[in-house]
Amino acid sequence: MAELHTERLVLRRWRESDLEPWAAMNADPEVREHLGDLLTREQSDASVRRFEADLDRRGYGWWAVEVRATGEFIGFAGLDDTDEDMPFKGVEIGWRLARSAWGQGYATEAALAALAFGFDTLGLPEVLAVTTATNVRSQAVMRRIGMTRNPADDFDDPYAPEGPLRPSVVYRVGRGGWGGAGGSDGRG
């Protein structure tokens, strides 16, 4: 499995020491605002086991993200296959960061590294991103990394409960439409 390096970040395998801060993120109502219910510690730990299994099986998935200068775990970023019940197929990019890491450009930096890996290493023709219609912060990151939205792709997420989390938007970027300015060297 690849470990990705950017100027300020490392996208890497998960460690035992990540479990506690990851659980704290999943219990934070602001971090989970556009994701749904808070997770218990058991649910949070189980998600890491699934992430690790996907990384082992495919060589990509949701990598743990740490700050290079300090070694601090700040969340996840990466690529995942879309769920079968979605109205589209492909590979989706995503990120989730602790509130302390918001507003510092980390999501954009990690996403650009994941895009570089998806296009340059995996040879993907396109990468998708999905979020709630109300998640303007994530949509801003999507635009910063070169993704565009076609409102015709918007849909109601079948996994979300009725209410404000159901209306969702889809952003896309194709291999030819991406500039490759991710700053990732892709080395482990």
Side-chain angles (χ1 to χ4, degrees):
M1 184 210 83
E3 185 172 273
L4 309 180
H5 295 256
T6 71
E7 182 180 337
R8 301 180 299 161
L9 303 173
V10 178
L11 284 68
R12 58 160 173 78
R13 292 193 70 86
W14 291 76
R15 298 179 184 144
E16 189 71 26
S17 60
D18 300 332
L19 295 177
E20 183 74 33
W22 175 245
M25 283 177 57
N26 287 313
D28 183 331
E30 287 187 66
V31 171
R32 300 280 311 169
E33 177 183 5
H34 300 284
L35 301 167
D37 294 335
L38 302 181
L39 300 184
T40 65
R41 175 63 191 257
E42 293 75 23
Q43 290 169 319
S44 185
D45 288 356
S47 69
V48 171
R49 289 191 295 275
R50 285 191 308 275
F51 301 159
E52 281 290 300
D54 286 343
L55 288 166
D56 288 341
R57 182 172 42 84
R58 297 185 306 223
Y60 66 91
W62 303 127
W63 288 285
V65 176
E66 77 174 42
V67 177
R68 285 178 81 160
T70 64
E72 176 190 8
F73 168 85
I74 60 168
F76 83 38
L79 303 165
D80 194 22
D81 297 335
T82 56
D83 292 327
E84 290 180 18
D85 295 341
M86 291 297 180
F88 44 80
K89 301 289 179 247
V91 175
E92 177 183 355
I93 190 169
W95 48 85
R96 186 178 319 156
L97 300 180
R99 276 190 293 140
S100 62
W102 292 1
Q104 300 178 54
Y106 290 143
T108 300
E109 190 171 328
L112 286 168
L115 272 183
F117 184 81
F119 290 134
D120 299 342
T121 302
L122 300 178
L124 298 173
E126 176 183 68
V127 175
L128 310 166
V130 178
T131 191
T132 61
T134 57
N135 190 348
V136 295
R137 291 176 66 108
S138 277
Q139 290 179 56
V141 172
M142 293 168 190
R143 288 189 299 275
R144 278 195 294 277
I145 65 173
M147 302 186 101
T148 57
R149 175 181 166 219
N150 179 347
D153 291 336
D154 295 355
F155 70 104
D156 284 342
D157 186 340
Y159 295 104
E162 286 292 335
L165 298 182
R166 185 162 276 198
S168 298
V169 296
V170 179
Y171 280 73
R172 300 172 184 270
V173 63
R175 179 185 195 76
W178 179 69
S184 170
D185 61 20
R187 293 179 296 165

